[in-house]
Amino acid sequence: MPFEDGIARLIGHRGRRVVMLASGDPFWFGAGTSVTRHLSPGEWTAHPAPSSFALAAARLGWGLEDCTCLGLHAAPFGRLRPHIARGRRAIVLVRDGAAVGGLAAYLDAAGFGASALHVLEALGGPRERIRHTTAATMAFDDIAHPVAVGIVFDGAGAVMPQAGLSDDWFAHDGQITKSPIRAVTLAALAPKPGESLWDIGAGSGSIGISWLLAHPSTRATAFEADPVRTRRIVDNAATLGVDRLVVVEGRAPECLDTQACPDAVFVGGGLSEALLRALWPRVEQGARIVANAVTLESEALLTQWQAAQGEPDADRGGAGGADRDATRLARAVSGGAMDVSGMIVAGFGFNTAADAAALRAALAAAQQGLPPVEALAAPDDKQGLPGEIAALLGLPLITVDPAALTAASPVTRSPVSLAVRGTGSVAEAAALAAAGQGARLLTLRHISPCRRATCAIAQGFRP
């Protein structure tokens, strides 16, 4: 031990006729793949015997299809955590007799000391022995190797949900994607077997950990600049049974350069235009992005970026396939401190050559894919055309004075609009001013086909 140290000695006999003996089936939590990955097809032949799991199930009378089977020779006991539930069964292989004591102590500390342990030594050989105890009372000090343990879980400890983990399962300092938003985020990320994730600005690691819990073949890398949070992420991953989470201490985008392209990217913290620019080549290779905006500024950045970049077309998805050819910029308020039921307002800007058709066309373009607007807004000296449309649609018209227009913070910066009206976009400023304090843009200004009118849509927030 460690087992890996013997591989080079074994491969040193390459080209000779060599027999390697391994217990049970070497290709089920055994030594098989540790060796064959160093060899070419045709260089080896396997003759498997009944596996340790099959022998244990046969002695205990358990159906293997209804058991969790894990090899914990060199893995932490925490990998059991997602599988622990009262009445469920597991068969685990451990390194030696001392490891059985460690396993019992782990279960007892987790509140499952009442779990029945069946200690199975040297199965299938002349030294075979089977003894029974519980995790809380396990006191055997003469357990022989090789050893397997059959477990029937029992006790008053907390059972880990398979989905929808509450925030209490994670150690954190407040920087965590909270449970309801985490569910929405995971739905947008849509993890699939074998896929990899970048969790950028990982905080507590809740998104990367949840991704890994979705399937045992998924992979994830968490990027976090704060060293205290980095250590906390490692601890959270080990506690929740996904110690395979790779944690990188560093600030994005600088720490991303040497990483292989993922299938999905989550931006939980540190959202910036520089980061989006660094991520966009990965999108063009087939990755999908989900970013949670926690400020109005980051919300505006995402809206502006999506409007400027659009969705990559299917041809640019490359070898990733049809389900990986799109970018998802999912915007969500992660703190739960805001009620998003405020009024939705469409704001207009237009020149003297515009007519009602131009405003209607701009409104239709802006409103595509959004909820219905509840009011229209326009500068107070240009009420005529917006008033006509408001009357046709049965909506109120909110007029905005010059001071309110210049006080708003639109995303678009039109030099003409700045010179004439003192704001980068009349449509965006009118929508934001009319929607009220704390409003956000749902879409940047859209320009009518005749280019004589613009429309933007904003939504107010109520604390």
Side-chain angles (χ1 to χ4, degrees):
M1 285 186 255
F3 181 84
E4 192 68 25
D5 288 353
I7 300 299
R9 295 171 60 189
L10 180 67
I11 300 302
H13 294 286
R14 199 170 192 169
R16 302 174 59 191
R17 294 173 60 82
V18 177
V19 173
M20 171 182 146
L21 301 180
S23 58
D25 184 345
F27 291 96
W28 196 6
F29 293 104
T33 53
S34 298
V35 175
T36 56
R37 67 169 176 258
H38 298 283
L39 301 172
S40 302
E43 282 194 277
W44 54 272
T45 301
H47 301 282
S51 71
S52 300
F53 298 110
L55 290 169
R59 299 297 187 269
L60 298 172
W62 294 356
L64 273 179
E65 73 279 1
D66 200 35
C67 293
T68 296
C69 296
L70 291 175
L72 302 181
H73 307 88
F77 298 128
R79 291 196 185 175
L80 265 176
R81 197 63 185 87
H83 306 284
I84 299 176
R86 284 173 287 279
R88 299 297 301 168
R89 294 170 173 173
I91 299 174
V92 299
L93 312 181
V94 295
R95 184 177 60 243
D96 52 27
V100 178
L103 173 63
Y106 170 80
L107 291 171
D108 194 26
F112 291 90
S115 299
L117 301 187
H118 306 279
V119 182
L120 308 114
E121 305 163 59
L123 291 176
R127 296 185 294 112
E128 178 176 312
R129 180 168 59 174
I130 301 174
R131 290 180 285 179
H132 313 281
T133 183
T134 68
T137 61
M138 212 293 291
F140 303 142
D141 59 3
D142 59 344
I143 300 172
H145 174 79
V147 59
V149 182
I151 309 169
V152 182
F153 297 111
D154 194 11
V159 176
M160 186 173 160
Q162 293 302 293
L165 285 173
S166 70
D167 300 341
D168 295 339
W169 285 92
F170 301 91
H172 63 89
D173 57 4
Q175 294 298 312
I176 182 173
T177 303
K178 293 182 171 60
S179 180
I181 301 303
R182 195 183 322 129
V184 175
T185 301
L186 265 293
L189 286 168
K192 302 178 184 67
E195 286 194 330
S196 60
L197 171 76
W198 285 357
D199 182 359
I200 298 175
S204 67
S206 65
I207 293 294
I209 289 170
S210 298
W211 171 281
L212 293 174
L213 288 170
H215 195 272
S217 68
T218 52
R219 292 161 288 132
T221 302
F223 299 92
E224 175 54 55
D226 187 306
V228 174
R229 290 177 183 162
T230 299
R231 291 191 293 272
R232 189 180 291 124
I233 293 169
V234 172
D235 292 342
N236 281 337
T239 298
L240 297 175
V242 287
D243 57 286
R244 68 184 189 277
L245 177 66
V246 177
V247 182
V248 175
E249 184 179 321
R251 190 174 300 279
E254 293 80 9
C255 61
L256 305 178
D257 292 341
T258 61
Q259 305 291 326
C261 181
D263 298 289
V265 179
F266 171 65
V267 183
L271 181 66
S272 66
E273 185 170 358
L275 178 57
L276 288 175
R277 290 190 183 281
L279 291 175
W280 207 252
R282 274 78 174 187
V283 172
E284 294 177 329
Q285 295 177 56
R288 54 192 183 272
I289 299 177
V290 174
N292 284 358
V294 296
T295 65
L296 294 176
E297 290 78 6
S298 56
E299 175 78 14
L301 173 61
L302 286 179
T303 304
Q304 183 180 30
W305 187 267
Q306 190 170 34
Q309 301 294 337
E311 299 284 351
D313 55 45
D315 291 336
R316 285 158 62 187
D323 61 343
R324 294 172 52 195
D325 62 14
T327 307
R328 300 184 184 189
L329 293 174
R331 301 180 293 277
V333 180
S334 68
M338 293 288 191
D339 172 9
V340 296
S341 62
M343 184 167 58
I344 299 176
V345 181
F348 288 106
F350 54 96
N351 61 30
T352 56
D355 56 17
L359 270 68
R360 291 290 298 272
L363 174 60
Q367 197 171 3
Q368 188 172 8
L370 295 178
V373 299
E374 300 164 85
L376 306 183
D380 60 5
D381 62 340
K382 302 185 76 171
Q383 302 180 33
L385 289 176
E388 291 179 24
I389 296 172
L392 287 171
L393 298 177
L395 298 174
L397 175 66
I398 301 171
T399 59
V400 182
D401 62 38
L405 282 178
T406 55
S409 301
V411 174
T412 302
R413 306 290 289 175
S414 166
V416 174
S417 182
L418 281 167
V420 175
R421 289 281 184 172
T423 181
S425 167
V426 173
E428 293 174 18
L432 288 167
Q437 185 177 7
R440 62 169 184 168
L441 287 169
L442 297 183
T443 178
L444 301 185
R445 67 173 190 174
H446 281 66
I447 304 174
S448 65
C450 66
R451 306 194 66 79
R452 295 171 181 168
T454 59
C455 180
I457 297 178
Q459 182 176 31
F461 281 122
R462 288 203 302 265

